[in-house]
Amino acid sequence: MKIYKFIVLLFLTGGLLTSCSDSDDVEDFPVEKPGTSLTAEEQLELDIKDFEWEAMNFWYLYKEFKPKLQDDAFSSNSEYIDYLDSYGSPEDFFNNALKYSEDEFSWIVADYEELENTFAGIRKTSGANIRLGRISTGSNDLVGIIRYVIPGSPADNAGLERGMLFSEINGSQLTIANYNDLLDLDNFTFGLAEFTAQGVSSTGETVEITKVELTENPILVAKTIDLDGIKVGYLMYNSFTHDFDDELNDVFAQFKSDNVTELVLDLRYNGGGRVSSAADLASMITGQFKDEILIRTRYNDNIETLLSSAAKITRFDDQIFDGDESDHPDHQPMPINSLNLTKLYVIATGSSASASELIINGLAPHIEVVHIGEKTVGKVQASITLYDADVPYYEKENLNPDHKYAIQPLISTSVNKNGEAYPNGLIPDIEKSEMWDNFGVLGDPSEPLLATALNQISSNRQFQEVMKAGKFNPEYVAESYEGEDAYRNMYIDDLPEFDLSKIKTPDFKK
């Protein structure tokens, strides 16, 4: 497979650090503006901005590019407080003072519970995963296609299916100017469309949908295909969602039971998710590389000095839920079901990012990976949820009870075992795009992208594309979840503990 060489300096330190119960060196200094009487609301806003600065000063990957995030940025605590107060809301302070101008993937939330739900696959949705494109080149009118439907969702109950087109919402033509507003509605009516000799035309049929809060299982399709005696596992996996790691492991148990010897991993719509879930999936695919390096991680200079070299490496493992029983008390670490494969076929497209790319790049030095589809997004950085709590902010120890703000900054970048990464996206070995007038059924051997993989596996080329060649692939405009902060996010939530005695407070805060 084709990859880019990405040079990253890994500053390796000594042995694995352990937690230190004596944290007297890490003090929480009061944030008060001398000579000024603040309302409780103003004081809380100042406290939130103080938390933002401290957490970003400690963790932010791009700290070196932000002069006001340096330990010596201020000569006194009073000057620092004036700086905090010079910005309006916590959002304004984060986005305009703390975030690096070229950083597209760090964000702040006013309610961390909503963020945690998103990472667990819980959101208010119609259940229709869609993509929008221009009806014709240069046109501002849009057409949408349903890529898949979440089972049991309102869209599923209303009879919507993969491959259906729509061009109107509530009787209004979708356009570049209105699509965000129309698709954000909780109640709306799809105006369906179809391909005609003239292009795309309305059918006059409508489908009414009301969004509900539901949990999406990222395992959309898992099946074994008998390819002329070759047992091929097919897995369509749409997000690296930790809450479903046990079900993912069950899928691989079934693949083992079916004597699967080839695997097609479909990540065409997978925008990323949890790093440890990606490591578990890599270990399910293989199994023969326990404790070998999957990826190496680089942090800012501050974190680099606090973590051992071992703590900056993600390895292949043989258990899921490692070290995470507190988050999942109903689960115990369980053995990973591994296929011990030496070759993998991956379907990945321009919608595949972050942890999806990590799987491809991380496995490449160990086994042969055949990438079918399109160039991927090219996102090598990972983020973490930080709370207004005790240092190092990623655990809810002594959480500030007066608000629910949290930040999700980029904190790391990664390379594979050979020091390779994909800042410009991963280039496919076999280039193929989904054509809207030949979408196919996911998991069916004749679906064009799956058929391409199966034709690589079978020397008899038994599973040919049986439908007409597609010609319609509208210029991309948007897709589902694009408006969410967590869109295309790769996140870490199982970092090692720090030796708190090595964490120092900036002089101006003392």
Side-chain angles (χ1 to χ4, degrees):
M1 62 174 297
K2 304 168 187 175
I3 48 185
Y4 289 97
K5 195 77 175 179
F6 186 63
I7 300 174
V8 174
L9 298 178
L10 297 174
F11 298 96
L12 306 180
T13 58
L16 183 65
L17 300 174
T18 58
S19 153
C20 178
S21 59
D22 182 6
S23 58
D24 291 341
D25 289 341
V26 185
E27 301 181 30
D28 187 13
F29 292 89
V31 181
E32 300 172 352
K33 194 168 184 179
T36 303
S37 178
L38 300 179
T39 67
E41 182 179 349
E42 289 170 335
Q43 182 62 59
L44 177 59
E45 192 171 85
L46 204 57
D47 290 341
I48 295 170
K49 286 186 278 189
D50 178 52
F51 144 65
E52 293 176 55
W53 187 92
E54 288 186 346
M56 291 287 276
N57 162 265
F58 189 79
W59 278 107
Y60 194 35
L61 179 62
Y62 301 115
K63 175 182 175 179
E64 64 178 298
F65 300 111
K66 300 295 296 184
K68 291 297 187 181
L69 273 179
Q70 306 310 305
D71 291 354
D72 60 355
F74 305 96
S75 60
S76 66
N77 200 29
S78 176
E79 181 186 347
Y80 168 69
I81 294 170
D82 286 340
Y83 172 69
L84 300 183
D85 196 44
S86 67
Y87 287 86
S89 66
E91 290 85 355
D92 175 43
F93 182 57
F94 184 84
N95 292 316
N96 296 315
L98 302 180
K99 194 168 73 167
Y100 181 44
S101 60
E102 296 184 21
D103 174 6
E104 301 177 6
F105 296 102
S106 297
W107 74 94
I108 182 172
V109 295
D111 187 343
Y112 58 74
E113 291 180 350
E114 291 183 5
L115 176 64
E116 292 166 348
N117 283 343
T118 299
F119 287 155
I122 304 170
R123 56 171 55 87
K124 197 169 190 179
T125 177
S126 68
N129 185 286
I130 65 172
R131 177 175 173 132
L132 299 179
R134 296 179 189 270
I135 283 182
S136 59
T137 303
S139 173
N140 286 328
D141 289 344
L142 307 182
V143 60
I145 191 165
I146 296 173
R147 302 193 296 189
Y148 69 86
V149 173
I150 299 172
S153 67
D156 185 30
N157 295 333
L160 294 179
E161 297 178 350
R162 171 175 165 82
M164 286 184 171
L165 302 180
F166 60 95
S167 57
E168 296 179 351
I169 297 289
N170 291 346
S172 297
Q173 170 66 48
L174 281 167
T175 69
I176 289 289
N178 70 15
Y179 75 88
N180 276 319
D181 293 335
L182 292 176
L183 292 174
D184 279 347
L185 297 172
D186 285 343
N187 301 281
F188 58 88
T189 300
F190 279 116
L192 300 184
E194 64 182 355
F195 294 108
T196 66
Q198 289 73 41
V200 176
S201 300
S202 171
T203 66
E205 183 181 358
T206 60
V207 177
E208 188 174 350
I209 298 289
T210 298
K211 292 180 181 177
V212 298
E213 186 174 274
L214 56 80
T215 303
E216 179 178 355
N217 187 334
I219 306 165
L220 186 65
V221 183
K223 62 187 295 186
T224 299
I225 298 168
D226 190 329
L227 182 63
D228 195 23
I230 303 171
K231 296 301 178 66
V232 181
Y234 172 76
L235 170 63
M236 182 161 204
Y237 185 58
N238 291 328
S239 176
F240 292 83
T241 306
H242 182 44
D243 291 48
F244 290 89
D245 284 355
D246 51 353
E247 293 189 30
L248 185 63
N249 201 36
D250 290 342
V251 167
F252 278 80
Q254 185 61 54
F255 284 160
K256 288 182 67 174
S257 178
D258 293 342
N259 297 313
V260 162
T261 58
E262 304 282 356
L263 179 65
V264 179
L265 176 62
D266 194 340
L267 304 175
R268 72 182 76 184
Y269 307 137
N270 191 319
R274 194 175 191 261
V275 170
S276 62
S277 294
D280 287 342
L281 176 56
S283 301
M284 294 173 196
I285 293 166
T286 57
Q288 66 270 42
F289 303 114
K290 183 180 182 297
D291 295 331
E292 292 192 29
I293 295 171
L294 179 66
I295 60 167
R296 299 179 187 271
T297 302
R298 174 75 166 94
Y299 299 88
N300 69 32
D301 290 344
N302 175 55
I303 302 299
E304 286 285 316
T305 63
L306 295 172
L307 291 178
S308 69
S309 57
K312 292 177 280 188
I313 293 174
T314 298
R315 301 180 183 274
F316 292 89
D317 53 14
D318 61 359
Q319 289 186 329
I320 60 174
F321 304 122
D322 269 351
D324 202 30
E325 294 87 342
S326 61
D327 287 342
H328 296 268
D330 55 327
H331 292 298
Q332 295 298 319
M334 64 177 68
I336 282 177
N337 297 307
S338 299
L339 296 182
N340 295 291
L341 298 179
T342 58
K343 189 172 186 178
L344 173 69
Y345 299 86
V346 178
I347 297 172
T349 67
S351 295
S352 307
S354 300
S356 291
E357 296 169 301
L358 183 153
I359 280 283
I360 299 171
N361 190 52
L363 284 173
H366 301 275
I367 65 174
E368 182 179 356
V369 181
V370 180
H371 172 186
I372 297 164
E374 302 166 339
K375 186 178 83 168
T376 60
V377 170
K379 182 172 180 292
V380 299
Q381 308 96 337
S383 67
I384 188 174
T385 306
L386 301 177
Y387 305 91
D388 189 357
D390 286 351
V391 176
Y393 310 107
Y394 58 74
E395 294 179 343
K396 297 177 183 176
E397 296 292 334
N398 295 323
L399 189 68
N400 187 335
D402 297 328
H403 70 88
K404 290 187 177 181
Y405 271 94
I407 60 175
Q408 190 78 25
L410 294 178
I411 66 164
S412 69
T413 185
S414 61
V415 297
N416 68 15
K417 177 183 178 182
N418 294 341
E420 296 157 330
Y422 40 89
N424 298 313
L426 291 162
I427 305 298
D429 300 292
I430 302 171
E431 189 170 356
K432 193 170 187 66
S433 298
E434 287 189 308
M435 308 305 288
W436 287 27
D437 51 341
N438 185 24
F439 233 39
V441 177
L442 294 171
D444 189 289
S446 65
E447 186 276 312
L449 291 178
L450 175 54
T452 300
L454 295 176
N455 286 338
Q456 294 297 309
I457 295 170
S458 173
S459 58
N460 294 327
R461 300 179 66 83
Q462 179 181 352
F463 287 88
Q464 301 288 336
E465 297 175 35
V466 297
M467 295 179 287
K468 69 183 188 304
K471 297 180 180 179
F472 187 68
N473 188 14
E475 178 188 345
Y476 174 84
V477 171
E479 64 184 8
S480 286
Y481 311 142
E482 192 166 317
E484 294 183 356
D485 289 323
Y487 176 68
R488 292 178 175 173
N489 182 58
M490 177 163 60
Y491 64 96
I492 306 170
D493 61 358
D494 56 353
L495 283 159
E497 295 180 323
F498 289 90
D499 183 345
L500 298 183
S501 68
K502 294 189 176 184
I503 301 174
K504 303 300 181 181
T505 301
D507 288 342
F508 70 84
K509 299 202 76 180
K510 295 181 180 178

